[in-house]
């Protein structure tokens, strides 16, 4: 049976309206509308739809996908997002679930090791400290954030949405936590975003079951992220009492955060006055640290996905093979895996089976 939900998913990923898809496919808007509402289109119509969306024909005949609901996902700038941006991001989440379901069938991944800290929503700093204790991190800086998250069973995937309104998002699905990170941001911003989404996973994952959104959820997630990445004891012992823009720029690499985030943390810990904080923000802005990180850290990537792809490569699976198994266009897979396929070593040559000793 042709899947109406898969048609919607593919259309959302292409950011097309039903009317625009009809124009590209040389069909009527009514035909597209009927197909998305469960009417079974004929074979010729399905071929036109698949070609227009550049999705494999078999994709539309698979079981219905997991379509994510907006209320179950932690979108930070939901009010600023267009419907097309929201739907495309949710559809990427559905493809990400399909990708990890496929990986789970072939590899043993770490079991999720997160704790429910929803009772600490009003005390995000305490929640961050409790999670650090649970993971045995102490107060030391975290070397590789994504490696840590993945070791605790969080599925990390990338987003390539060219929009300022989708920084990152997270959700739970089938008792497994997912974080999606936009690769258009600086590495420091992405690090903070990942900790912000971690906060949602441990503080707010019951939100989808509640009748109303959690008030101040984004503020709580920011406070958690700041405390998780920059523990109070370590910040105070490292920076002491003297704080200049130059000091902050030099010190920020210790915690792999932006200069602005570190200045804000110092202010939140009452290590600098309101006046000094405002002066620092102005000075950092003049040096280009409001819109970017002129002196930045290296961007992190998924360790799990790199290992999975390397193993598949060594076993002779090509991009075409993986995309065919998933029934997805390869570029859709590429947007989820941090563009890792372009950085893998060449596969070893296949043995010459025609030679007999």
């Amino acid at each position: 049976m042709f899947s109406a939900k898969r048609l919607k998913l593919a259309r959302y990923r292409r950011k097309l309206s039903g009317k625009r898809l009809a124009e590209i496919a040389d069909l009527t808007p009514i035909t597209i509308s009927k197909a998305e509402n469960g009417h079974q289109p004929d074979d010729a119509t399905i071929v036109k739809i698949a070609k227009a969306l550049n999705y494999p024909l078999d994709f539309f005949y698979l079981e219905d996908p997991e379509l994510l609901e907006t209320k179950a996902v932690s979108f930070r700038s939901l009010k600023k997002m267009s419907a097309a941006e929201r739907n495309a991001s949710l559809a990427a989440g559905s493809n990400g679930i399909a990708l990890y379901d496929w990986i789970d069938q072939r590899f043993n991944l770490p079991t999720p090791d997160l704790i429910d800290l929803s009772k600490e929503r009003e005390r995000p700093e305490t929640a961050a400290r409790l999670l650090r204790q649970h993971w045995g991190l102490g107060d030391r800086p975290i070397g590789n954030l994504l490696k840590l998250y993945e070791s605790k069973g969080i599925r990390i995937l990338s987003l390539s949405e060219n929009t300022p309104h989708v920084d990152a998002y997270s959700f739970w699905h089938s008792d497994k936590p997912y974080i999606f990170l936009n690769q258009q941001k600086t590495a420091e911003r992405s690090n903070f975003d990942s900790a912000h989404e971690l906060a949602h996973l441990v503080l707010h994952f019951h939100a989808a079951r509640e009748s109303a959104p959690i008030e101040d959820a984004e503020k709580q997630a920011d406070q958690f992220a700041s405390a998780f990445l920059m523990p109070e004891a370590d910040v105070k012992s490292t920076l002491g009492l003297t704080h200049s823009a130059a000091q902050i720029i030099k010190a920020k690499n210790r915690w792999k955060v932006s200069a602005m985030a570190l200045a804000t943390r110092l202010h939140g810990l009452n290590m600098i006055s309101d006046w000094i904080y405002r002066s620092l923000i102005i000075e950092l802005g003049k040096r280009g640290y409001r819109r970017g990180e002129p002196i930045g850290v290296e961007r992190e990537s998924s360790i799990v996905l790199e290992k999975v792809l390397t193993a598949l490569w060594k076993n002779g699976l090509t991009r075409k093979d993986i995309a065919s198994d998933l029934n997805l266009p390869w570029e859709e897979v590429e947007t989820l895996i941090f563009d890792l396929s372009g950085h893998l070593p060449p596969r070893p040559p296949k043995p010459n089976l025609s030679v007999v000793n």
Side-chain angles (χ1 to χ4, degrees):
M1 296 284 287
F2 178 83
S3 171
K5 288 185 177 181
R6 288 192 173 276
L7 169 54
K8 283 185 178 180
L9 190 156
R11 179 170 68 80
Y12 290 162
R13 282 303 299 150
R14 300 308 188 202
K15 296 183 181 178
L16 296 174
S17 66
K19 181 180 179 181
R20 180 57 183 152
L21 173 58
E23 292 174 355
I24 297 172
D26 194 24
L27 297 168
T28 67
I30 292 176
T31 299
I32 299 297
S33 179
K34 285 184 176 180
E36 290 193 354
N37 284 284
H39 177 79
Q40 287 293 304
D42 58 42
D43 291 345
T45 296
I46 296 172
V47 169
K48 286 185 175 182
I49 289 173
K51 184 177 180 181
L53 292 169
N54 194 26
Y55 262 69
L57 192 63
D58 288 345
F59 172 84
F60 299 96
Y61 289 97
L62 299 174
E63 292 182 2
D64 284 348
E66 299 283 352
L67 290 181
L68 298 173
E69 296 184 12
T70 303
K71 66 179 182 179
V73 174
S74 66
F75 283 125
R76 190 180 313 180
S77 304
L78 185 58
K79 292 181 180 179
K80 298 180 180 179
M81 295 171 63
S82 68
E85 289 173 337
R86 180 196 64 223
N87 290 336
S89 298
L90 289 171
S94 296
N95 284 342
I97 291 172
L99 173 60
Y100 259 105
D101 284 346
W102 184 85
I103 292 173
D104 276 328
Q105 295 172 13
R106 293 159 176 80
F107 298 88
N108 293 320
L109 301 181
T111 302
D113 182 25
L114 278 72
I115 51 177
D116 180 2
L117 294 169
S118 56
K119 292 182 180 180
E120 303 294 340
R121 289 176 189 164
E122 303 302 323
R123 300 190 301 168
E125 184 117 5
T126 299
R129 187 163 56 250
L130 289 172
L131 185 60
R132 272 183 160 266
Q133 290 175 357
H134 179 69
W135 285 349
L137 300 176
D139 290 322
R140 68 180 185 273
I142 299 169
N144 187 311
L145 282 166
L146 298 193
K147 182 179 180 180
L148 170 66
Y149 299 156
E150 290 184 319
S151 73
K152 304 304 179 182
I154 302 174
R155 281 99 193 284
I156 305 293
L157 294 138
S158 60
L159 285 169
S160 296
E161 308 304 305
N162 189 19
T163 170
H165 301 142
V166 185
D167 295 321
Y169 68 85
S170 57
F171 57 85
W172 284 83
H173 179 267
S174 297
D175 295 324
K176 296 180 179 69
Y178 289 78
I179 292 178
F180 287 71
L181 298 172
N182 193 329
Q183 297 303 285
Q184 306 298 320
K185 310 298 180 181
T186 66
E188 290 86 349
R189 176 65 179 273
S190 187
N191 289 342
F192 196 91
D193 286 343
S194 72
H196 178 104
E197 297 307 322
L198 175 63
H200 284 310
L201 291 173
V202 296
L203 294 178
H204 307 130
F205 71 87
H206 290 302
R209 305 174 192 172
E210 299 181 2
S211 57
I214 298 173
E215 189 175 355
D216 291 333
E218 297 306 314
K219 181 179 179 181
Q220 292 168 4
D222 276 344
Q223 291 173 345
F224 175 100
S226 185
F228 184 79
L229 296 175
M230 298 169 278
E232 179 177 354
D234 192 48
V235 171
K236 287 183 175 179
S237 64
T238 300
L239 283 173
L241 299 175
T242 305
H243 312 293
S244 65
Q247 280 182 302
I248 288 175
I249 292 169
K250 181 180 179 180
K252 75 185 184 69
N253 288 351
R254 176 176 176 82
W255 300 284
K256 294 186 175 183
V257 297
S258 70
M260 293 291 186
L262 179 52
T264 300
R265 179 63 169 154
L266 295 176
H267 185 238
L269 291 173
N270 296 316
M271 294 174 67
I272 55 177
S273 67
D274 293 346
W275 184 84
I276 293 176
Y277 175 62
R278 287 193 295 269
S279 299
L280 284 172
I281 294 300
I282 293 171
E283 178 62 24
L284 290 171
K286 290 179 179 178
R287 296 191 184 201
Y289 284 90
R290 181 175 293 279
R291 297 194 177 189
E293 297 297 318
I295 302 175
V297 299
E298 184 177 354
R299 181 178 298 279
E300 295 181 358
S301 185
S302 166
I303 303 300
V304 165
L305 291 175
E306 182 178 3
K307 288 182 177 179
V308 165
L309 288 172
T310 299
L312 294 173
W313 251 238
K314 288 181 178 179
N315 285 320
L317 266 73
T318 65
R319 295 177 179 85
K320 184 177 180 181
D321 295 328
I322 298 171
S324 179
D325 268 6
L326 289 165
N327 284 294
L328 285 172
W330 175 252
E331 67 269 16
E332 285 296 314
V333 181
E334 197 83 78
T335 64
L336 297 169
I337 63 172
F338 296 84
D339 195 25
L340 284 169
S341 67
H343 305 281
L344 291 172
R347 292 188 303 278
K350 294 183 179 180
N352 186 354
L353 299 180
S354 63
V355 176
V356 179
N357 293 327

